[in-house]
Amino acid sequence: MRNSLVRILLFSTLALTGAAGSTNRLRYPVSLVISPDGRTGFTANSRSGSISIINLKQGRLHAEHPIGGSPTDLAIHPQGEFLAVTDGEKHQLHFLKISERSLETLAKVKTVRHPARVLMAADGVTVAVSSIWDRQLAVYEATQRKDRIHVHQL
């Protein structure tokens, strides 16, 4: 497993080809999650403001989804339905629907200043975001309704 994680980070960091729309650039991955089925990896890339989607079996970059800003962390829904991503530059929490080879933005909400970490509870609804600089914690409820997510702060 450790070798796979090292390979994922290397694939994310290096200029990869093979993904539609990917460009040669420094990504600087800061967070990594693996889908519940173990087939797909996702990295939050702070320098490029993107999320990389990596096919772990093929060892290839499938796609890269720009979110802008500077992603600091990500968490995956327990059933692999969506990602929660923090953006330290824009002070936002993004919710991205996972498709086979792409991500779709479902919601963006303002969150604590300079978010550092995001965790999703096993219920797939409760999401917590922490900030180092402001020493704050924000807790959200993210309820999925069809192709939308309703997010409100608790």
Side-chain angles (χ1 to χ4, degrees), residues 31-44:
S31 184
L32 164 74
V33 294
I34 297 175
S35 63
D37 65 10
R39 294 184 199 170
T40 308
F42 302 90
T43 60

Side-chain angles (χ1 to χ4, degrees), residues 7 11 37-41 54-60 62:
R7 283 198 325 233
F11 288 136
D37 65 10
R39 294 184 199 170
T40 308
I54 302 161
N55 180 313
L56 298 178
K57 291 193 181 228
Q58 296 176 355
R60 289 186 54 124
H62 263 312

